[in-house]
Amino acid sequence: GDVAAALSPVIIRCRPGDRGEAIRARAERELAVLPGTLDNVLREQPRLLVIDDAHHLVDAPDTLRSLATEAGAGRVLLVSSERLPLRRAQSQRFEMVVEGLDEAAARELWSDLEERFGPTRAGACDQALVVTGGLPMALRREFARSLAADDAVTGLEGLSEDARRTAEAIAVLDVPVAPPGLAAIAPDVDIEKALIELVKTQVVDPLADGRFAMHCEIAEQVLGALGEDRVELEERAAIHIDADSGGSGAFGILDRVDRLRECARHWLAAGTPDRAADIVVAGFDDAASRGCAGEVTPLARRNEAAIPSRVPPVSKTQLT
């Protein structure tokens, strides 16, 4: 059991605007270690910490250079869509560019999709390999097009109204969500039927625990097409996540710190910093007592920038 836990990767996702203090605190919480001990843990224990979307870090140079600077039992894997500003001479550092799948792996992916969703026309896989270069997301898009009728419109522009609204809810939430959570954000929508369409067209991915997730590239496309409706969706998300304070409802998988962070993030995105400040001020002491102040302080900093009069009771050293 101990060996399996050590070898299992702990994945920390960076959100736009995140700072190193938030990532470190989130990693310590996920690793179930004491605050401020991340470096010691990585040096002394064979743990694998995966930091996804590292390009979102606003203080990436300082944060990433300070992680795992000494050789030890643990490893840090940074995943980024941009080249990270790391010193070339840093020891124990390896860099790899992730390209498309080789032909065998690409055909295996295509076969798996056909087993799940049905056969495609002859030669469709060959054509897709030429067009996509084996990139998984592009292969899945070509599969969805091949699976559709020749005269059908596929992709986000071809979704039904219910599927579009469901996709918008998933993109705005930006965390894996179960159907009851989607029903709260997108009322009067046939969620089950919409999810079937979204999975078949490769817009969303079903997870083993019954939740659904959307790749960040697709989410960016969906959010980019949203107009004023996004404000209403962000408000709904904040209200329903906050209402599930007991952790047993549609968003029960979020713990108290995640719930605080997500609520504040949605209120800020909705252009309502006062409501975000209410959330942060009310929950800061509880988060700090759990050793998670590093995850909440960046939110306090964003509130300070929006409304300087509404700052949680944290020291100036924490906000600078």
Side-chain angles (χ1 to χ4, degrees), residues 27-189:
E28 289 166 348
R29 183 157 58 94
E30 291 296 326
L31 287 165
V33 300
L34 293 173
T37 64
L38 179 61
D39 291 328
N40 289 337
V41 169
L42 292 174
R43 185 168 52 249
E44 299 171 2
Q45 299 180 19
R47 308 301 297 268
L48 174 58
L49 175 63
V50 180
I51 301 179
D52 196 11
D53 291 337
H55 53 277
H56 284 318
L57 284 171
V58 297
D59 56 351
D62 294 335
T63 299
L64 302 179
R65 288 171 184 166
S66 68
L67 279 172
T69 55
E70 300 178 27
R75 295 290 184 271
V76 178
L77 173 62
L78 305 172
V79 182
S80 172
S81 64
E82 302 170 7
R83 186 175 294 278
L84 300 173
L86 299 176
R87 290 192 300 269
R88 290 288 177 185
Q90 190 169 357
S91 62
Q92 303 293 317
R93 174 175 165 245
F94 302 92
E95 197 171 292
M96 180 178 69
V97 176
V98 179
E99 299 178 343
L101 302 173
D102 60 32
E103 183 176 348
R107 291 188 183 279
E108 183 177 351
L109 171 61
W110 194 276
S111 296
D112 178 67
L113 291 172
E114 287 189 319
E115 288 179 7
R116 294 167 57 191
F117 301 108
T120 55
R121 64 182 183 276
C125 182
D126 296 330
Q127 181 179 354
L129 287 175
V130 174
V131 171
T132 66
L135 294 172
M137 284 293 296
L139 274 171
R140 292 174 56 185
R141 183 184 64 244
E142 292 302 313
F143 172 82
R145 290 176 176 170
S146 299
L147 192 64
D150 291 338
D151 59 348
V153 178
T154 59
L156 298 176
E157 70 281 359
L159 295 175
S160 66
E161 177 69 12
D162 278 2
R164 180 186 60 80
R165 290 180 59 191
T166 302
E168 292 170 350
I170 296 174
V172 164
L173 285 168
D174 201 28
V175 294
V177 60
L182 292 173
I185 308 304
D188 305 320
V189 168

